[in-house]
Amino acid sequence: MTEAGGRPRRGWWASNWVWVVPVGCLGLVAIAVALVGGLVFAVFGSLRQSWACEHGLELVRGSPAVVAALGEPIEAGFWVSGSVSVSGPSGSADLAVPIHGPKGTGTLYVRATRKAGAWSLERAEVAVEGRAERIELLEENAPPALEVRGPGGVLSRPIPAAADPSTEDPRCASPGSRP
């Protein structure tokens, strides 16, 4: 086929490649950005949903020293950094969680291990922006470790000495200590 001037008629690709190529490239770039963004969102979301992060935030919100420094409500930021590794019944977590309240900002540092299917916090502390010393959360909340036992995720703490039945019931005392 020819056009009115006797020139051969150009095909669709020859007429439209000038806008198809840039639009196609931009489309591929948009898809790549969406995939990478989704991956980043999933990674940071999974760190934020980890046992160590959730229980560290519980300690933060229950800490009078942190509440006094940051105010209430205390919220966690999105950009949680660190790592969580789980392999069967064992694992570890080492996280830095940005936190903020109406009075200021800080970072929650949490280290936890999982042994025989039970998580325990080894370290939980808050670095408040503008303060040199950190707030130790485990020392402030008395028990040296918090543990979760069983599939229900029940939070358990060591029994305080005053509530320890072996100190109250003479039948539980050692033979040499009976009156």
Side-chain angles (χ1 to χ4, degrees):
M1 292 195 153
T2 61
E3 291 181 1
R7 292 178 292 184
R9 186 171 176 194
R10 296 178 4 178
W12 184 88
W13 178 252
S15 299
N16 297 305
W17 74 269
V18 173
W19 65 267
V20 170
V21 170
V23 169
C25 289
L26 286 175
L28 290 175
V29 168
I31 290 171
V33 167
L35 289 175
V36 169
L39 181 64
V40 167
F41 187 77
V43 168
F44 284 105
S46 68
L47 289 176
R48 177 78 169 74
Q49 298 293 324
S50 69
W51 183 92
C53 184
E54 291 294 323
H55 288 282
L57 288 171
E58 283 180 22
L59 289 174
V60 163
R61 291 181 180 121
S63 166
V66 178
V67 169
L70 301 182
E72 284 187 297
I74 297 174
E75 299 294 329
F78 180 73
W79 296 105
V80 176
S81 62
S83 66
V84 175
S85 173
V86 178
S87 178
S90 62
S92 65
D94 197 358
L95 302 173
V97 183
I99 56 175
H100 61 275
K103 294 181 182 178
T105 62
T107 304
L108 165 65
Y109 295 97
V110 179
R111 186 177 317 128
T113 57
R114 183 177 179 183
K115 296 178 184 171
W119 281 102
S120 63
L121 286 173
E122 292 180 351
R123 187 153 189 94
E125 61 188 20
V126 173
V128 177
E129 194 171 296
R131 292 176 71 178
E133 70 282 346
R134 292 183 175 186
I135 300 169
E136 298 285 337
L137 299 174
L138 294 179
E139 291 175 5
E140 183 179 70
N141 289 311
L146 299 176
E147 295 185 353
V148 170
R149 301 229 184 256
V154 177
L155 187 64
S156 64
R157 297 176 188 236
I159 299 172
D164 186 354
S166 65
T167 60
E168 296 173 3
D169 190 352
R171 294 173 293 172
C172 296
S174 61
S177 64
R178 288 191 180 144

